[in-house]
């Protein structure tokens, strides 16, 4: 889309003191690098600092600034914010839903305490703060189809509870302390080159790699476990659009975003059509099935479309499968 049509301002100053550099936490996860690359195109390579507790490949450092950061160390976060003139944080550090059930204490530490640290630092230095939420913030008592932004939120995972905490605390810091808090409730994100880890929706990424490797996949969800999903390029583009959106276009601080909905069986059928008739799927549901049935099959994201122009491009299972195999084939 044309530069002039963008709904967000082009000066990218994130707070009153004119700070315009962005710190991304959990930068080596599924989304960090992609979001950093897209944001760097908009605000300049050196204005986006990627961080993680993990050690990056040399290519990560070659493509822009990277700092080592433990999200449980608030002094270390503040030091970077002050020394590097940070005006905004995108907070990706999190333990995902399935891993969080296996390591609840670790999930509580990172997902609650890590979040609280970035909230407090954002309050102190008046930063813009984007903390992604997830459809995992919903639970078994939420309507699973066309789930609205305002719905019952009684999640049954540590991950989901921490997402509700982040949403509510972010809204509180926004109204009480003026923090420019923003959040998107992501569905499962499907990517070819960066892998998720420890999520309930990971099957929808693993299945492609398994098809290419062995033409079969043993799925840990039941054949009819429909869930909301989105292709990574849409996630990256739309997250950057939302992050840079003018504050006055946002009528709420937290938005549902969604793109595609399918069951494991529907995805497998499309893979059979586009990859190989011989592709075989088997089902061995485990504890992740019990999480999946408490999450939306699809969410209503009309508010995101109205307020800041949310507009994903890949909206069918057919197009998703096609783009995934194009990407995976290129990697070979
Ligand atoms: C997970 O499965 O935990 C994540 C999510 C939907 O938040 N992918």
């Amino acid at each position: 889309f044309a530069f002039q049509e963008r709904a967000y301002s082009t000066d990218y100053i994130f707070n009153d003191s004119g700070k315009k550099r962005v710190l991304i936490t959990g930068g080596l996860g599924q989304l960090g690098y992609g979001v950093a690359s897209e944001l760097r195109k908009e605000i300049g390579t050196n204005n986006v600092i990627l961080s993680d507790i993990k050690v990056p490949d040399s290519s990560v450092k070659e493509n822009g600034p990277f700092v080592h950061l433990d999200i449980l160390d608030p002094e270390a976060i503040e030091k970077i914010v002050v020394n590097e003139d940070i005006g905004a944080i995108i907070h990706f550090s999190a333990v995902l839903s399935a891993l969080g059930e296996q390591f609840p204490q670790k999930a509580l530490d990172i997902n609650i305490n890590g979040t609280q640290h970035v909230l407090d630092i954002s309050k102190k230095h008046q930063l813009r703060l984007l903390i992604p939420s997830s459809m995992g913030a919903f639970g078994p008592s939420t309507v699973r189809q066309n789930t609205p932004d305002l719905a019952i939120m009684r999640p049954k995972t540590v991950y989901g509870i921490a997402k509700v905490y982040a949403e509510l605390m972010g809204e509180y810091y926004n109204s009480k302390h003026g923090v420019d808090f923003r959040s998107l409730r992501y569905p499962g994100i499907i990517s070819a080159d960066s892998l998720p880890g420890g999520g309930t929706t990971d099957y929808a990424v693993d299945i492609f790699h398994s098809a290419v490797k062995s033409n079969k996949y043993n799925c840990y969800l039941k054949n009819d476990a429909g869930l909301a999903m989105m292709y990574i390029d849409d996630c990256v583009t739309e997250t950057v659009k939302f992050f840079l959106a003018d504050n006055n276009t946002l009528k709420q601080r937290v938005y549902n975003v969604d793109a595609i909905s399918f069951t494991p069986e529907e995805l497998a059928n499309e893979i059979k059509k586009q990859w190989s008739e011989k592709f075989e799927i088997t089902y061995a549901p485990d504890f992740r099935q019990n999480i999946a049935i408490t999450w939306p099959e699809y969410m209503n994201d009309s508010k995101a479309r109205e307020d800041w122009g949310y507009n994903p491009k890949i909206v069918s299972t057919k197009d998703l499968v096609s783009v995934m195999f194009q990407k995976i084939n290129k990697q070979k």
Side-chain angles (χ1 to χ4, degrees):
F1 48 92
F3 191 71
Q4 294 89 320
E5 284 167 16
R6 285 180 182 159
Y8 46 79
S9 78
T10 50
D11 54 12
Y12 309 124
I13 304 290
F14 297 118
N15 62 16
D16 288 346
S17 45
K19 303 271 167 47
K20 56 181 180 188
R21 299 188 84 201
V22 180
L23 174 68
I24 299 183
T25 70
L28 300 180
Q30 188 186 16
L31 301 176
Y33 190 72
V35 167
S37 306
E38 190 69 16
L39 192 54
R40 280 173 177 155
K41 287 185 208 153
E42 300 286 340
I43 68 170
T45 302
N46 285 326
N47 286 332
V48 181
I49 303 179
L50 213 52
S51 73
D52 206 293
I53 196 166
K54 293 186 219 139
V55 178
D57 291 345
S58 55
S59 64
V60 170
K61 285 192 184 168
E62 278 156 23
N63 288 324
F66 176 89
V67 291
H68 184 262
L69 179 63
D70 178 356
I71 204 64
L72 296 180
D73 182 350
E75 279 172 27
I77 310 172
E78 190 169 16
K79 213 165 164 182
I80 295 171
V81 166
V82 173
N83 291 352
E84 302 295 337
D85 281 337
I86 298 296
I89 296 179
I90 299 178
H91 181 55
F92 282 132
S93 296
V95 175
L96 293 187
S97 56
L99 200 62
E101 293 311 286
Q102 286 163 329
F103 302 99
Q105 192 54 52
K106 194 176 164 76
L108 275 176
D109 259 5
I110 293 177
N111 299 4
I112 300 267
N113 297 337
T115 293
Q116 191 56 47
H117 295 331
V118 292
L119 279 163
D120 284 332
I121 289 163
S122 298
K123 172 186 160 194
K124 185 164 170 194
H125 297 279
Q126 284 299 294
L127 309 180
R128 179 173 297 180
L129 175 62
L130 173 67
I131 306 182
S133 184
S134 157
M135 65 173 169
F138 297 118
S141 45
T142 314
V143 54
R144 290 192 68 214
Q145 287 165 351
N146 207 24
T147 313
D149 285 315
L150 278 182
I152 296 173
M153 305 185 87
R154 313 295 294 175
K156 296 288 178 209
T157 60
V158 171
Y159 175 74
I161 293 164
K163 287 301 185 194
V164 174
Y165 176 87
E167 287 187 15
L168 296 184
M169 206 51 117
E171 286 182 353
Y172 177 77
Y173 272 51
N174 173 258
S175 58
K176 185 100 181 170
H177 304 301
V179 172
D180 183 352
F181 167 78
R182 302 165 181 217
S183 183
L184 297 176
R185 284 193 199 117
Y186 290 149
I189 308 297
I190 318 291
S191 53
D193 32 37
S194 62
L195 294 177
T200 301
T201 59
D202 292 11
Y203 94 85
V205 175
D206 300 342
I207 195 170
F208 288 95
H209 296 280
S210 229
V212 172
K213 222 168 105 196
S214 61
N215 236 350
K216 53 184 185 221
Y217 182 66
N218 188 23
C219 186
Y220 57 76
L221 298 184
K222 284 191 185 162
N223 64 326
D224 60 353
L227 285 171
M229 301 281 180
M230 187 195 294
Y231 182 55
I232 184 144
D233 287 9
D234 281 328
C235 179
V236 163
T237 310
E238 299 300 317
T239 298
V240 170
K241 192 196 280 180
F242 175 64
F243 174 69
L244 294 175
D246 272 343
N247 210 9
N248 56 25
T249 63
L250 307 182
K251 301 200 180 76
Q252 55 197 54
R253 306 317 303 182
V254 184
Y255 290 90
N256 287 350
V257 284
D258 199 357
I260 320 165
S261 176
F262 51 75
T263 64
E265 189 172 350
E266 284 161 355
L267 183 60
N269 285 342
E270 197 56 45
I271 291 175
K272 271 187 203 156
K273 268 193 220 156
Q274 294 193 37
W275 173 253
S276 161
E277 265 298 309
K278 295 201 178 97
F279 175 71
E280 260 178 58
I281 184 160
T282 47
Y283 301 95
D286 67 14
F287 73 100
R288 288 169 282 192
Q289 169 67 19
N290 298 335
I291 300 177
I293 51 166
T294 72
W295 287 0
E297 284 173 44
Y298 58 98
M299 291 181 277
N300 183 319
D301 55 22
S302 53
K303 293 277 191 291
R305 291 174 195 265
E306 275 163 37
D307 291 0
W308 52 273
Y310 173 65
N311 185 21
K313 301 281 174 293
I314 303 286
V315 293
S316 71
T317 312
K318 184 169 170 232
D319 287 352
L320 173 77
V321 170
S322 157
V323 75
M324 280 297 283
F325 281 122
Q326 278 168 34
K327 274 272 170 73
I328 292 173
N329 279 332
K330 263 196 214 144
Q331 286 168 7
K332 284 201 290 176

